[in-house]
Amino acid sequence: SSGNGEGTQWISGAADVTLQGFDVASPASITLLPGWNLIGDPLTAPFDLYVSSVTDGNGTHYTMPQALSQGLIESTLFAFLLNGYQSTSILSPWVGAWIKVADELPGNGTLTLTVSSGTSSAAASQAPAIKTPAEGWLASIVTSVSGMVDSSTYFGAAPKATAGHDRNLDLAKPPMPELGPSVYSCFVNDQTSLAVDVRSTLDTRAKWALRVDTSAANADVTLRWPDLQSLPADVRPVLTDQATVSTFYMRTSYSYT
């Protein structure tokens, strides 16, 4: 059934699950409150966040791109898999995900997210979780330690971006997990944890501050940047280890431990 969750039960291995209740008809509605919301797919098929719609407390309807550009929605979906966050635009049944809503909302202070089924498995596998900004570029940082992976951290540049927070360009990162083993990475900008930090293409010496936290003790953390092909030829990305003051040219080295 569809509604607010009342508890959590962890299943450590394979198990038979008995379904109770009734199938929710598509389209379905999810109530969102200010701040971070942990939601599930109320349907029996995946839905695509970017083709969903949002209605505010005054009854005004927005497409998801409109809700993002106006700052009503401040993130994509983040699922916790492999003991780290993975960004996604597709939410499937049996998977929970975080989504960030603006702290101040019009009307009664809530949003209604309307989702529809019909996303195929093939479309889900090809759908970009984070969209490259117009006339700009985007690159990902994958953080791993002891088999745990966080693959939801991105840096980039765009003509309309600034050094501060930019609606529909910079995206917030969910809170760091407090229970169980985990790895967590984010860019920190003005004391805000970001999954996506986009700076101006005019700033030729832009710097991104990467933060990494993990529950693993005395274990090596590896950073990887699997694809820098979208970066213009004149962009020379350099990674600096603040602890050792070592620098690495990221176009010729593809990971750092």
Side-chain angles (χ1 to χ4, degrees):
S1 64
S2 179
N4 293 331
E6 297 180 353
T8 301
Q9 182 175 358
W10 297 98
I11 301 176
S12 58
D16 292 329
V17 178
T18 301
L19 299 179
Q20 296 180 339
F22 54 90
D23 289 345
V24 177
S26 176
S29 298
I30 302 172
T31 299
L32 301 177
L33 302 175
W36 284 104
N37 291 251
L38 184 59
I39 66 172
D41 184 354
L43 307 172
T44 56
F47 72 81
D48 188 337
L49 178 70
Y50 288 113
V51 298
S52 303
S53 62
V54 170
T55 305
D56 68 20
N58 291 328
T60 304
H61 300 282
Y62 307 85
T63 65
M64 184 54 62
Q66 290 172 337
L68 285 164
S69 65
Q70 296 194 30
L72 296 175
I73 301 293
E74 298 182 352
S75 80
T76 187
L77 296 171
F78 294 92
F80 190 70
L81 303 169
L82 297 176
N83 297 104
Y85 285 121
Q86 322 294 319
S87 50
T88 180
S89 63
I90 307 294
L91 189 59
S92 299
W94 304 100
V95 177
W98 289 100
I99 186 170
K100 178 71 162 57
V101 174
D103 291 331
E104 296 184 6
L105 298 172
N108 63 2
T110 66
L111 293 180
T112 300
L113 175 66
T114 301
V115 300
S116 301
S117 60
T119 300
S120 67
S121 298
S125 64
Q126 298 176 5
I130 305 294
K131 298 183 181 297
T132 301
E135 301 180 46
W137 55 266
L138 198 67
S140 68
I141 297 290
V142 179
T143 307
S144 59
V145 55
S146 301
M148 302 180 291
V149 180
D150 184 319
S151 62
S152 60
T153 312
Y154 300 79
F155 67 103
K160 294 183 179 181
T162 67
H165 178 73
D166 302 296
R167 286 182 178 178
N168 205 26
L169 291 175
D170 298 330
L171 297 179
K173 185 95 176 212
M176 186 171 65
E178 296 181 356
L179 298 175
S182 65
V183 62
Y184 179 88
S185 63
C186 67
F187 287 108
V188 179
N189 190 345
D190 194 23
Q191 298 184 336
T192 300
S193 299
L194 298 176
V196 182
D197 190 1
V198 179
R199 304 298 180 89
S200 172
T201 51
L202 300 178
D203 186 356
T204 59
R205 300 188 65 84
K207 295 182 179 181
W208 291 262
L210 180 68
R211 168 190 167 190
V212 176
D213 291 284
T214 180
S215 61
N218 303 317
D220 290 333
V221 175
T222 298
L223 304 178
R224 294 186 293 112
W225 38 98
D227 187 5
L228 299 181
Q229 294 183 358
S230 67
L231 275 65
D234 60 346
V235 174
R236 298 177 57 84
V238 174
L239 176 70
T240 301
D241 186 331
Q242 298 291 344
T244 63
V245 199
S246 302
T247 59
F248 303 86
Y249 183 44
M250 297 172 67
R251 286 193 186 273
T252 55
S253 57
Y254 304 99
S255 66
Y256 174 71
T257 300

